[in-house]
Amino acid sequence: MNRKYRKTIIAGNWKMNMTNSGIKPFMEELKANMPKAKQCDVVLCTPAVMIQTMVKAGKDCKVAAGGQDVSIYDKGAYTGEVSATMLEDIGAKYCIVGHSERRQYHGETDMMVNAKAKKLLEKGINPIICVGESLEQRENDLTMEYVAYQVKAALSGIDATALRHCVIAYEPIWAIGTGKTATSEQAQEVCEEIRAVIRKIYGARPARAVSILYGGSMNAKNAYELLAQPDIDGGLIGGASLKPADFATIVAATAQD
Ligand code: PGA
């Protein structure tokens, strides 16, 4: 982390878990465990049908609500889709785009990820843009090349002013939901490279100001060490964000210099 230049963000990704009625007890437990003075922004990205409840429930403990996906279209005959306008209207502050599960199971391309990020930015919602390599790519030494490509594609046509509202999440696919975390060195190495790619496009200052998160089996035990890395500005947390006490411990782990 480097709080002097950029925001620290702890974002939970609930994926397709929980229910609306589970939010109240969850938030009560989270609040009871959360440090009083937080050193970071805290976000919970819920399924779309729960965002509104999360907006309300998160108010008194300053937890922002986020979505997990957004349509590339503004409105119209796109059954099942949720637009950036709708997310803005219910108070979502962040939205994940390009999560590897969406890329893998829903055919989301780099062009779509880019279009989604732009739609969110138009509505003042911060996109959390996910990138990350597969195990095969890592084993073939293609990690840096692939991640650099994904970052460039996702940010294509986004200017430096809009970049300030973008968050990048480095999530190696082999570490997601597997209990296999990248070592803090591996995670740092790629996050540093992501910042270098952004520096080449936008220059030193914008690159220094972008928050880059790590995601992939981050938990209450390994968070402190991962967050101690200079280019890791927070976490995108799946499994552990469903356990209020663990999530609160990860938030507390941001209180380090
Ligand atoms: P995980 O998920 O923490 O359960 O590995 C992270 C993510 O997919 O965002």
Side-chain angles (χ1 to χ4, degrees), residues 13 15 99 171 175-177 216-218 236-239:
N13 174 10
K15 308 192 180 183
H99 190 281
E171 298 206 305
I176 295 175
S217 300
M218 195 187 228
L236 182 56
I237 297 122

Side-chain angles (χ1 to χ4, degrees), residues 11-15 96 99-101 130 169 171-173 175-180 214-219 235-242:
N13 174 10
W14 277 3
K15 308 192 180 183
I96 298 169
H99 190 281
S100 62
E101 285 152 17
C130 301
E171 298 206 305
I173 297 170
I176 295 175
T178 56
K180 239 185 179 182
Y214 168 77
S217 300
M218 195 187 228
N219 58 39
L236 182 56
I237 297 122
S241 74
L242 293 163

Side-chain angles (χ1 to χ4, degrees), residues 56 120 139 172 188 227:
K56 288 198 195 105
L120 293 168
E139 285 171 351
Q188 163 59 25
L227 294 167

